[in-house]
Amino acid sequence: MQRCIDLAKLGISSVSPNPMVGSVIVLNDKIISEGYHTGFGKPHAEIEAINNLNEVQQSSLNEATIYVNLEPCSHHGKTPPCAQRLAQIGFKRVVIGMKDPNPQVAGRGIEMLEESGIAVNIGVLENEAQNLNRSFKTHMTSNRPHYIAKWATTSNGYMGRPKYSQKSRQISGPLGHHWVHRLRSEIDAILIGVETANQDNPSLTVRSWSGTNPLRVVIDTNGRIDSELNLLIDGVPTLILSNRNEKLNHVQLIKTNPNQSVYEQLDRLLLNLNKSKVLVEGGNSTLESLWASGRMDEAYVLKNTNITWEDGLIAPQISNMPIAQTHLGTDLLSHYIKPMLEQK
């Protein structure tokens, strides 16, 4: 099962909004095939593992065990149901990491396998399997994208210069900077507020890592964005949520409804675009509004232990301990997830 999870991670930048899934086939205590979901709309992990076998090997699968970190699907989507294929083949046993949180599956794949006479084991490395696909679970159970907040702080907790001072500058060190670009390559969209856009003029692209640029989204409900920003002229896909009527270069302007929560509008918009994993790189006000909306599902905090400021904008304060910490050169990276994300 750990091998399934390791394989699944290879699809982290290409499968969303689908989950990351890996599969391993074992016969006579030996791994005879592996597979993983390589991209949205492509064959699922179990089918990849089966297709990697020759005809002679496939003829002996009724004596084999197939491992998969997520319950095989039982519905027709972009691909036929995997549970049906496994049942037709007649595997001896299927070992599953976790049930699928998708309401269209939610145990039906397991039922289909058991009804065909296949032995099914569920919950092997379940915590690890749940953690791997936590963004997919949010999407399925809350009907909204999974929001990941990221901010950098000085050693004494400041994240930005005060408005009367010079413009904000990069706080994270070189390794932290590379890590941020890696994270960008693994998500579907990046969200910031208009203040961050106007003050920092960021590009929000993947530059220090290989990968595809995510969709860039700016919340600008009062129509204050500077029309000369990099975001509006570099040709990378960008959405602006605003009440403006005029066009802004080549970006897509989404008219907001002042009588509805901007996050509810954003949820619906992003899901319609198949964007289910969102990185929030905004400033303090955007982070605070995200937190107040109950949508801060994860947070990564980069603290540069070599930088101290005398004043500035205080970064959000988290009261709970992180689930993990890593040193990246001068930066201490702390990772928090719900339900251990509480403000001081």
Side-chain angles (χ1 to χ4, degrees):
M1 187 58 68
Q2 183 59 57
R3 180 59 180 162
C4 289
I5 291 172
D6 292 341
L7 286 167
K9 292 176 182 177
L10 297 175
I12 192 169
S13 300
S14 56
V15 302
S16 184
N18 283 354
M20 292 176 280
V21 185
S23 184
V24 173
I25 299 175
V26 175
L27 179 64
N28 298 324
D29 297 325
K30 292 183 179 180
I31 292 177
I32 61 170
S33 187
E34 299 178 336
Y36 70 96
H37 187 35
T38 61
F40 180 59
K42 295 183 178 180
H44 291 181
E46 306 95 308
I47 308 306
E48 284 282 347
I50 293 167
N51 291 344
N52 286 335
L53 296 169
N54 58 41
E55 290 185 9
V56 174
Q57 290 172 315
Q58 288 191 22
S59 68
S60 62
L61 290 181
N62 62 329
E63 292 298 321
T65 296
I66 185 167
Y67 292 78
V68 61
N69 57 287
L70 183 70
E71 175 187 356
C73 63
S74 59
H75 65 292
H76 283 271
K78 288 187 174 293
T79 61
C82 296
Q84 185 179 70
R85 178 74 183 279
L86 301 187
Q88 291 171 344
I89 289 172
F91 278 91
K92 182 177 182 179
R93 187 166 65 118
V94 179
V95 181
I96 299 168
M98 62 175 282
K99 287 185 177 181
D100 194 330
N102 185 344
Q104 291 184 294
V105 184
R108 294 182 183 87
I110 294 169
E111 291 176 5
M112 189 179 293
L113 295 171
E114 292 177 332
E115 288 172 357
S116 70
I118 296 174
V120 180
N121 296 104
I122 311 162
V124 178
L125 293 186
E126 183 172 11
N127 289 339
E128 290 83 349
Q130 295 270 5
N131 184 56
L132 175 69
N133 280 308
R134 55 190 181 272
S135 61
F136 177 70
K137 184 177 180 180
T138 300
H139 178 194
M140 289 295 108
T141 59
S142 301
N143 195 32
R144 63 168 176 80
H146 183 85
Y147 290 92
I148 304 168
K150 187 280 298 180
W151 64 88
T153 78
T154 63
S155 61
N156 54 342
Y158 292 114
M159 68 175 295
R161 294 287 188 181
K163 293 182 179 180
Y164 60 78
S165 184
Q166 61 181 310
K167 289 188 176 182
S168 298
R169 67 168 187 257
Q170 181 176 308
I171 297 174
S172 56
L175 289 181
H177 178 74
H178 284 297
W179 176 86
V180 169
H181 284 261
R182 175 183 175 181
L183 181 60
R184 287 178 182 175
S185 75
E186 298 172 355
I187 52 92
D188 303 322
I190 296 182
L191 174 68
I192 62 171
V194 67
E195 290 293 341
T196 296
N198 286 341
Q199 291 183 23
D200 296 352
N201 192 19
S203 294
L204 303 179
T205 53
V206 179
R207 301 185 301 280
S208 298
W209 199 267
S210 62
T212 304
N213 291 322
L215 174 69
R216 304 176 303 191
V217 183
V218 182
I219 297 177
D220 179 31
T221 53
N222 293 320
R224 295 183 290 113
I225 196 164
D226 184 340
S227 60
E228 300 299 318
L229 297 177
N230 293 329
L231 292 165
L232 308 184
I233 62 177
D234 63 7
V236 177
T238 305
L239 294 180
I240 309 245
L241 275 71
S242 178
N243 62 2
R244 297 173 70 144
N245 292 314
E246 71 273 21
K247 292 184 178 180
L248 290 170
N249 297 317
H250 302 291
V251 305
Q252 187 173 354
L253 197 65
I254 306 298
K255 188 80 170 178
T256 55
N257 181 353
N259 299 317
Q260 185 181 26
S261 161
V262 68
Y263 282 107
E264 291 179 3
Q265 297 175 68
L266 182 62
D267 290 346
R268 185 170 58 254
L269 172 66
L270 291 175
L271 290 187
N272 286 340
L273 294 172
N274 286 327
K275 309 296 183 183
S276 63
K277 189 187 297 186
V278 182
L279 179 62
V280 182
E281 291 199 40
N284 199 295
S285 60
T286 300
L287 294 172
E288 289 290 346
S289 66
L290 179 73
W291 211 325
S293 76
R295 286 169 171 78
M296 191 177 288
D297 300 301
E298 297 184 53
Y300 287 102
V301 182
L302 284 161
K303 178 185 285 188
N304 192 324
T305 56
N306 277 13
I307 293 179
T308 301
W309 289 350
E310 293 183 359
D311 62 2
L313 301 176
I314 296 291
Q317 302 294 302
I318 301 175
S319 60
N320 292 64
M321 294 295 293
I323 63 166
Q325 286 188 313
T326 305
H327 286 278
L328 299 174
T330 60
D331 296 321
L332 175 63
L333 174 64
S334 299
H335 183 202
Y336 305 84
I337 62 173
K338 280 184 174 178
M340 295 178 291
L341 252 174
E342 297 178 4
Q343 283 184 294
K344 286 184 178 178

